[in-house]
Amino acid sequence: MYKKKKTILIAIILVFLLTAALDNRLKIVYYKLETDKISNPLRLALITDLHSCRYGENEQKLAAAINAQKPDILMFVGDIFDDQISDANTEALLSAVAADYPCYYVTGNHEYWRGTQAFNTKMQILADYNVKRLATDTDTITINEETINICGVDDPDAYRVNNTDIQSGIASFQKQIVQLNKLNTNGNYTILLTHRPEYFQFYTKQSFDLVLCGHAHGGQWRLPGLINGIYAPNQGFLPKYAGGQYQENDTTMIVSRGLARESTRIPRIFNRPELVIIDLT
Ligand SMILES: [Fe+2]
């Protein structure tokens, strides 16, 4: 009798753990950053690595979550499209939210993986919804009486449509960042949008106040409090920048764990997809 109860208890615990581990409901993750360069609060929504995954009919679940946070600006930092999944869900999201906010975008690696024609189609969708692509560009924007700079850089995998090689892609990526950094002379709070977190040490040598990234998908499997991700592309096992807030000198980097769900072959474990909200105060 005792043995039977013990078996049932173990089974209940296992089911509970498995359900919690595989939970892929959307989570909202908040960061609060203080800076002397801003007096009125600004709220940023960081949307990344959607990979055109589905969030309800017409992406309404994700759109509603974004709207509920009342952000001032939407930052899309790459891989919002996928190379295997149709662009329809991403387009539905843009259709639902893009008209209501200033929207900025930088490319991720996956946007380049289907070749030039598919890439151009995705860029046209962004243009149709007035999402501003930053590719070695800086935009200065005033919201809530605060003026900030938003810079953006193409993903190194741009080499795939530029017909060069990976080394040229990385060199061009780094050159763009140095170029952008030189433009930042007005003293405004300056944000760099870049898909890649693994270049953190390179970013800290520039003078950006905030760097926003994705790409690492939270390291796919996590043990919160113990292991912040098992594996991330371009970082390998036990990635240093899998998700969270990183600080060095005057540069803060926030890495979103992203919104990918059914696009990944290996399930996320203890790693719910996230919408990141950043309050600048
Ligand atoms: Fe990526």
Side-chain angles (χ1 to χ4, degrees):
M1 190 65 186
Y2 172 75
K3 201 179 168 189
K4 197 178 169 190
K5 274 186 183 169
K6 198 176 158 189
T7 309
I8 291 169
L9 186 66
I10 290 169
I12 290 170
I13 291 169
L14 283 176
V15 168
F16 176 79
L17 271 176
L18 196 67
T19 309
L22 296 174
D23 185 358
N24 70 357
R25 289 170 304 152
L26 178 65
K27 183 180 175 186
I28 316 288
V29 174
Y30 297 91
Y31 295 91
K32 194 173 180 177
L33 302 177
E34 289 179 7
T35 168
D36 295 340
K37 294 181 181 175
I38 283 176
S39 313
N40 300 311
L42 277 180
R43 173 165 270 204
L44 317 175
L46 171 55
I47 300 155
T48 184
D49 298 276
L50 176 62
H51 288 270
S52 211
C53 291
R54 182 181 158 89
Y55 280 85
E57 189 73 32
N58 292 324
E59 288 309 85
Q60 278 308 312
K61 282 188 181 164
L62 181 53
I66 293 168
N67 290 332
Q69 297 304 316
K70 297 185 169 48
D72 295 303
I73 311 175
L74 307 190
M75 309 291 204
F76 297 93
V77 300
D79 286 359
I80 65 165
F81 297 97
D82 194 62
D83 56 305
Q84 302 291 329
I85 299 176
S86 131
D87 297 335
N89 289 329
T90 300
E91 184 162 5
L93 176 70
L94 296 178
S95 163
V97 298
D100 298 326
Y101 309 93
C103 294
Y104 293 92
Y105 163 87
V106 290
T107 54
N109 48 318
H110 281 264
E111 274 107 11
Y112 293 105
W113 285 9
R114 213 48 206 253
T116 307
Q117 202 182 338
F119 176 76
N120 290 340
T121 303
K122 295 174 200 322
M123 296 307 106
Q124 188 55 51
I125 292 171
L126 293 165
D128 290 345
Y129 291 97
N130 264 330
V131 175
K132 187 158 192 171
R133 178 184 166 201
L134 298 173
T136 331
D137 288 319
T138 295
D139 202 48
T140 298
I141 182 171
T142 302
I143 298 178
N144 297 347
E145 296 174 29
E146 293 296 342
T147 303
I148 60 169
N149 305 328
I150 304 170
C151 310
V153 66
D154 280 333
D155 188 86
D157 273 15
Y159 82 90
R160 291 187 183 228
V161 301
N162 294 338
N163 292 320
T164 55
D165 55 58
I166 181 67
Q167 287 314 321
S168 312
I170 294 168
S172 153
F173 168 79
Q174 295 188 335
K175 202 171 143 195
Q176 286 179 64
I177 290 168
V178 171
Q179 244 173 291
L180 285 170
N181 192 50
K182 280 185 190 156
L183 296 172
N184 293 327
T185 52
N186 58 14
N188 292 339
Y189 190 82
T190 299
I191 302 170
L192 173 68
L193 307 184
T194 166
H195 187 58
R196 303 289 186 120
E198 65 266 26
Y199 293 96
F200 181 56
Q201 291 306 322
F202 185 76
Y203 305 144
T204 61
K205 292 186 177 63
Q206 321 300 322
S207 56
F208 303 106
D209 296 292
L210 176 61
V211 180
L212 302 180
C213 316
H215 189 53
H217 293 206
Q220 209 62 25
W221 296 359
R222 302 179 63 219
L223 275 181
L226 282 175
I227 300 172
N228 189 29
I230 289 285
Y231 181 86
N234 305 101
Q235 294 189 67
F237 288 98
L238 300 176
K240 205 168 173 185
Y241 310 113
Q245 181 177 338
Y246 304 85
Q247 183 76 40
E248 196 164 305
N249 305 323
D250 293 328
T251 302
T252 304
M253 178 170 82
I254 290 177
V255 183
S256 168
R257 296 181 179 90
L259 293 154
R261 298 205 285 202
E262 69 272 18
S263 61
T264 53
R265 271 174 249 126
I266 301 165
R268 298 172 74 122
I269 293 184
F270 291 117
N271 181 24
R272 285 171 63 184
E274 61 185 35
L275 166 66
V276 167
I277 299 296
I278 302 153
D279 285 310
L280 299 178
T281 57

